Amino acid sequence: MNITLANSDVSSQCEAILRSLPAWFGIEESLLEYVRDTALHPTWVAHEADAPAFGFVTLREHFPSSFEVHCLAVQADRRGGGCGLALMQTAEAWAKARGARFMQVKTIAAAHPSEAYAETRVFYERAGYLPLEVFPDLWHPRNPCLQLIKAL
Ligand SMILES: CC(C)(COP(=O)(O)OP(=O)(O)OC[C@H]1O[C@@H](n2cnc3c(N)ncnc32)[C@H](O)[C@@H]1OP(=O)(O)O)[C@@H](O)C(=O)NCCC(=O)NCCS
């Protein structure tokens, strides 16, 4: 598996990855925003040799000291193979080398019954992220937001 900083247009490959994960990216408007953002913010893709990407992560810089995992996704049939962790480690190392001290991520909080997002929270915990705060209304009262953070 290679992980490279995307320096050409990878948006269609990232769109295919997101479309393989309807339990997480089922809202068309947000999916298209994540696709568009791959060209606007630092994005790494995971791929084999010259094959299309099967995973990607996009970061957003809020301040030089703090970045956010804006979008992270691994093709449905490649989940559980270490790609997500490898993408996170690459993006975190890049931010740290630029002087960043913190990486945050927002996801759906445990008050929501989604089993899919329960898996996501387990992943972030395994990646070293700690819960910081729940924002019940940031997105929508039906989708409480959990903010997690990791010191780099
Ligand atoms: C979350 C996601 C990016 C993780 O990537 P991945 O390649 O599947 O994860 P990895 O193989 O690197 O797993 C790392 C650890 O996460 C945990 N984990 C991964 N998949 C899991 C699952 N389905 N259920 C529970 N824990 C899981 C495990 O602890 C694993 O560590 P281990 O292999 O030592 O046991 C990926 O599964 C995905 O795209 N999920 C759907 C979309 C999503 O949740 N995006 C994130 C924010 S919206």
Side-chain angles (χ1 to χ4, degrees):
M1 173 173 42
N2 301 310
I3 297 198
T4 50
L5 188 57
N7 53 11
S8 61
D9 186 10
V10 291
S11 57
S12 59
Q13 296 170 41
C14 295
E15 179 171 352
I17 294 166
L18 295 176
R19 290 201 186 281
S20 78
L21 299 163
W24 289 267
F25 302 103
I27 301 169
E28 185 66 11
E29 192 184 329
S30 347
L31 182 149
L32 293 175
E33 197 175 315
Y34 287 133
V35 171
R36 186 204 65 194
D37 288 345
T38 61
L40 301 178
H41 300 287
T43 295
W44 289 261
V45 290
H47 56 96
E48 308 288 0
D50 292 329
F54 58 87
F56 75 95
V57 61
T58 299
L59 292 188
R60 280 189 57 197
E61 178 178 352
H62 290 292
F63 299 96
S65 58
S66 58
F67 282 66
E68 175 167 5
V69 180
H70 179 56
C71 189
L72 171 69
V74 173
Q75 182 89 27
D77 60 4
R78 300 289 299 253
R79 293 181 64 217
C83 177
L85 219 44
L87 284 164
M88 291 291 287
Q89 284 164 356
T90 300
E92 289 165 1
W94 178 88
K96 188 174 178 180
R98 291 170 70 93
R101 304 279 306 280
F102 299 104
M103 185 70 74
Q104 65 148 307
V105 65
K106 298 189 188 85
T107 191
I108 303 284
H112 192 285
S114 163
E115 287 176 17
Y117 278 98
E119 292 178 3
T120 300
R121 290 190 299 275
V122 170
F123 169 77
Y124 282 124
E125 189 182 325
R126 167 79 170 78
Y129 286 75
L130 294 169
L132 192 65
E133 187 167 355
V134 171
F135 300 97
D137 302 319
L138 181 66
W139 290 330
H140 189 281
R142 279 198 303 273
N143 288 332
C145 168
L146 170 67
Q147 182 185 37
L148 301 118
I149 194 161
K150 179 177 181 176
L152 298 176

